[in-house]
Structures are given as structure tokens and as C-alpha cells.
Amino acid sequence: MFYDVLKDLRQKRGVTGETVANAVGISESAYRNYERGVREPSFDTLCKLADYYGVTTDYLLGRKPLSTPFEDLRLLADSEKNVLTKYISLPPAARACLLECLLQLGSAVKKSNDNSGGD
């Protein structure tokens, strides 16, 4: 249930309901009511809560993830699948950071290959 997921995320982060409420721009009582299952957030607030916790709205709503989006890529090894699955499970900010690192690495490899004649 939504309220269980919300409470679990807050407790794991070690913050108060007041802290979360302030971060997403709602009253503390509204947040408490979400955790108790008394009220449900608007779509806008749901998105803000997902962003705050670094999860998807589907995760907050307790929905099962879809099957892996990489099934049709016919990856060569289970390790490739594991890397992609772990990448997808990262919070958006961490994915962006990792992607930037990979782009820089790819650029450095390409430059190295260009300088060595592409052997």
C-alpha cells in the first residue's frame, strides 16, 4: 500500500514527517495523513515525493515493475543484464552521474583509438 511504502522510505532515510513535508511543500499534517492512509496526494505531490525519495511514482504506489526493458536486446552475458538492471534501479541523479562518467570514458577510448590508428 502507498502509505506503507511512504512510511518505510521515510524511516529508512531517518527523517521526520516534518522534514519531508517541508521538502515537498506540504503541511506536516497532510504528510502524516498520507502515511496513515487517511488522504491521498495530488499527482503533483506524488511526483514531488517520488523525486524527494529518488524513486518512481510506480514504486510509491506499490506497483510491480515491468519485465526488464532489456529482454529484446539479446545481451551476451548475464553480467550485462545485471549491470543494466542495477543501472535502472538507481535514483535518477545517480543514473545521470553514471551516464556522464560512461560518456566521458567512451570519449576517452575513442580518442585513444583515433590516436593509435584504430587498431
Side-chain angles (χ1 to χ4, degrees):
M1 303 294 292
F2 167 73
Y3 51 88
D4 291 324
V5 173
L6 201 60
K7 187 174 184 177
D8 184 58
L9 286 169
R10 181 183 56 76
Q11 289 175 339
K12 283 181 179 174
R13 188 166 276 204
V15 296
T16 65
E18 179 182 14
T19 300
V20 179
N22 289 337
V24 299
I26 59 174
S27 69
E28 184 182 0
S29 63
Y31 184 80
R32 277 196 312 266
N33 285 333
Y34 299 156
E35 278 196 5
R36 292 181 185 142
V38 175
R39 287 184 53 199
E40 294 178 346
S42 66
F43 292 135
D44 183 55
T45 301
L46 182 68
C47 290
K48 288 178 183 179
L49 288 166
D51 289 344
Y52 176 80
Y53 286 117
V55 298
T56 64
T57 54
D58 277 354
Y59 181 86
L60 281 180
L61 295 172
R63 295 186 62 184
K64 286 179 165 181
L66 299 173
S67 61
T68 174
F70 308 114
E71 286 181 23
D72 61 340
L73 293 180
R74 305 198 195 310
L75 299 172
L76 300 176
D78 284 340
S79 60
E80 289 178 315
K81 292 177 187 175
N82 290 336
V83 167
L84 291 172
T85 300
K86 287 177 183 176
Y87 170 79
I88 289 298
S89 70
L90 292 171
R95 283 198 313 254
C97 182
L98 181 57
L99 183 58
E100 180 60 31
C101 291
L102 290 171
L103 290 171
Q104 289 179 11
L105 178 62
S107 179
V109 168
K110 183 179 182 322
K111 186 182 282 188
S112 174
N113 285 343
D114 289 348
N115 290 340
S116 67
D119 295 332

